[in-house]
Structure formats: structure tokens, C-alpha cells
Amino acid sequence: MTTSATPQAAALPRIAVLATGGTIAGSAPDAANTAGYQAGVIGVAQLLAAVPGLDSVAQIHAEQVASVDSKDMSFALWSTLAQRVNELLASDDIDGVVITHGTDTLEETAYVLHLTVKSAKPVILTAAMRPASALSADGPLNLLNAVTLAASGQAGGQGVLVAFNNRIHCARDVAKISTYAVDAFQSPEIGALGWVQDGRVEFQRRALRPHTVDTPFGAAIQWPQVEIVTSYAGVSRLAVDALVSAGVRGIVVAGTGNGSIHATLQQALSDAVAKGIPVVRASRVGSGHVMHNGAAKDDALGFVSAGTLSPFKARVLLMLALATGTSEKAELQRVFDTY
Ligand code: ASP
């Protein structure tokens, strides 16, 4: 579906809006309901119709790629989305892509695309904390800001960005940090890249790590089974041993503090390494980095340290690395130190 055909619109950037569902497309029986709604039930045409002035920002090409609650995000949808973004951006008719998504796994999808999209054109994810039916729904303004950012001429070459509550975040850094607040996304410790407000876009800094065209990762992959285990008081080795018996291809551990791991769990994980299963050490804290050979002796134990990646993003990177044939520890550590 393409909207805007006035002569004046012809000069505007051409932005594809891909809808996948989420709360931004959610609906509840009454306007005061912001928690008991159904996500992903409103179509892309209705989402766009709720944004006054969009036609003066960009020519919109809209597609309904999926209608899911992003808690149910799947490997199949990640692959479909990455391939569709790549197809659209390869065309001379599209200048950028905006994806509407649920907030729950937005940071994972954003990082998948950050590593697998093969274009320097802008790709912006946005979402909402309140359903489209709610009083003070945040979706329409977030969508307007995402399209404004995509059309601004400033967002290219920066990998995948997230436009949310007026801020611009890098896909690698961003995380959902509130279960309910409208200001639900932050880039912990590092901060946002910039802001978008009232049609103006301002970047304060750029992300330094390689992404998109500068990674070896592609969209068409078989996703290997990689799971996350957590360290906590009294943890047993049950989960790790069950994963190993089930043939898991890799494990990310969400350690305490600076990625420290309970002795029982650490033993189970080092036994997994001895069986050839890569283990990546991240932290459950949600901010800060996990120092290599810091709270655990990675080199002695055979672990890879995740640095500043959250356990969820470390899992994405480990899956992509394994899918491209990287499983040797030193090479995996190089991947984690790079992307
Ligand atoms: N469960 C919803 C989703 O992730 C939450 C949201 O979008 O805010 O799709």
C-alpha cells in the first residue's frame, strides 16, 4: 500500500513502514485500559491514519509483515523481516525503513537487524507502551518521530536505530527498562544518540562498533539453539545439564554483578565447555560491562565474556556467530569484542 501522491509529496523521501504488531497496534475495550489489551490487532493503514501530517514528512509505502505480540517473536519472523528490509532497501524506490514492533523484544529484533541488514540506508524501529485505543496513546507520536528520523537524511550509516519517546537509541545499546512507563527505553550507562522532536532531529554522538554492511552476518540463516541460564542464590546445575543433554549449541549465562557465577553453576558450565559447547558470560544487572577474566577466569574456564552486551543480545550475537561457523573460543571472543 502506498499513500501520498500529490506533486509536492513526490519530492519527499520514500519510507517503507513495516508493521509487525505490538502494543502500538493494540486495542482495549475502553480508553483507560493500558494493561489488559490485545496487542497486534490494528492494521498498518489505521496506524498511519492516526498520525496527522505524516504525508508532509515522507511518501509512505506500508506493509503488514506480521501481527504478533512481540513476546511471541520467532526466528521465522526475524528472518522474514531481515530479508524484507534488505529487499526494500536494495530498491532505488525506497530511502529508508520504519518498523513498528512490540516493546517486549524490540531490543532483540533491533540488534538482529543491526547485524544482518546489508544497507547504509536508515532503519528505525518504534513501538508504544499504550495501546492505540488508550487515552494519551504514545504510538502516533512515536511513529511520526520514527518516520521523521528515517526521512531526515541524518540517520543513514548508523545501523539500526530506535526512536522512542523523543529519543534516538542505537540498537546495540537500547533496552526496555520499565514494565509500564511511557519512557520505557534507555541505553543504560551509555545514553541515547540524540533526539527527535517537533520535526527536528539532532544527533549528539554516533555508535562506533561495526554493523550492517560491515558484518559477516546475513539474514538467511538457520538459527542454532542457544539458551540463557541465570546465576542466583542456591542455583542448581539442573538447567545446564538438561540443556547439554538436549543438544544445545551454545549457552549464555546471566551472571550476578560483573558476570560472577555461583560455584555450582560455574562447574556445570565449565563441564559444558569441556563437551564443546560455547559459553558466553554476561550479567543480569542490566548496566555496565563484564570484564574479560574479571569476576571469572574466562581463559581458564573456557568462557567468552559478553562485554557490554545484555544476555539477550549476547544470545543474538552467539547465534549469528555459530550460524556462520564460528565456535572456537578465541574467535568467538574476537566477535564479541568487535560487534
Ligand atoms: N506485549 C507487547 C509486545 O511486545 C508489549 C508492547 O508492545 O509494549 O508486543
Side-chain angles (χ1 to χ4, degrees):
M1 169 190 139
T2 301
T3 62
S4 304
T6 61
Q8 173 202 14
L12 293 172
R14 295 146 306 174
I15 304 300
V17 175
L18 307 186
T20 68
T23 295
I24 193 168
S27 183
D30 67 89
N33 183 334
T34 59
Y37 57 88
Q38 200 180 343
V41 291
I42 289 177
V44 65
Q46 213 178 321
L47 289 188
L48 293 167
V51 185
L54 199 61
D55 282 3
S56 60
V57 176
Q59 302 176 71
I60 304 294
H61 163 85
E63 291 184 17
Q64 191 77 44
V65 175
S67 298
V68 296
D69 185 319
S70 82
K71 73 180 176 57
D72 298 322
M73 184 51 58
S74 64
F75 293 140
L77 184 47
W78 271 352
S79 295
T80 302
L81 200 51
Q83 281 162 18
R84 188 63 190 135
V85 171
N86 279 327
E87 276 165 19
L88 285 163
L89 294 181
S91 158
D92 290 338
D93 296 333
I94 294 293
D95 299 311
V97 169
V98 167
I99 299 168
T100 60
H101 198 285
T103 58
D104 288 347
T105 57
L106 180 143
E107 67 212 63
E108 293 170 59
T109 301
Y111 192 45
V112 166
L113 297 174
H114 192 62
L115 296 173
T116 58
V117 163
K118 295 300 162 210
S119 173
K121 292 179 185 174
V123 178
I124 319 294
L125 268 72
T126 195
M129 287 300 283
R130 294 180 179 150
S133 54
L135 284 172
S136 302
D138 51 332
L141 183 56
N142 283 344
L143 181 51
L144 177 62
N145 285 340
V147 173
T148 300
L149 176 59
S152 68
Q154 296 185 59
Q158 303 215 53
V160 172
L161 302 171
V162 173
F164 200 90
N165 203 34
N166 295 109
R167 296 200 185 87
I168 305 165
H169 297 274
C170 172
R172 188 183 191 279
D173 304 328
V174 73
K176 184 173 179 179
I177 50 88
S178 174
T179 57
Y180 72 96
V182 171
D183 198 8
F185 284 86
Q186 274 182 13
S187 296
E189 190 136 331
I190 290 162
L193 297 180
W195 52 264
V196 48
Q197 187 177 19
D198 298 358
R200 290 164 56 197
V201 170
E202 185 174 315
F203 280 92
Q204 299 289 339
R205 62 187 188 85
R206 296 177 73 89
L208 295 178
R209 298 226 183 193
H211 51 70
T212 55
V213 292
D214 294 322
T215 81
F217 311 118
I221 70 160
Q222 293 292 322
W223 296 89
Q225 180 105 36
V226 172
E227 302 290 346
I228 301 172
V229 297
T230 305
S231 190
Y232 42 82
V235 66
S236 77
R237 53 181 296 147
L238 205 61
V240 171
D241 289 345
L243 290 173
V244 171
S245 315
V248 75
R249 293 276 314 283
I251 298 175
V252 173
V253 55
T256 40
N258 186 1
S260 55
I261 307 169
H262 190 292
T264 303
L265 189 64
Q266 183 165 294
Q267 185 59 55
L269 290 165
S270 107
D271 293 347
V273 168
K275 291 184 173 151
I277 298 164
V279 170
V280 175
R281 195 168 61 85
S283 173
R284 68 180 203 180
V285 167
S287 171
H289 62 177
V290 169
M291 278 177 63
H292 192 67
N293 289 328
K297 299 295 163 227
D298 294 301
D299 288 339
L301 292 161
F303 299 163
V304 171
S305 51
T308 50
L309 285 179
S310 71
F312 313 106
K313 290 184 187 175
R315 174 174 174 263
V316 164
L317 184 55
L318 182 55
M319 287 190 290
L320 289 170
L322 292 172
T324 47
T326 303
S327 58
E328 193 271 319
K329 183 192 165 306
E331 189 50 22
L332 274 177
Q333 188 64 63
R334 192 198 60 76
V335 165
F336 273 81
D337 291 345
T338 304
Y339 303 105

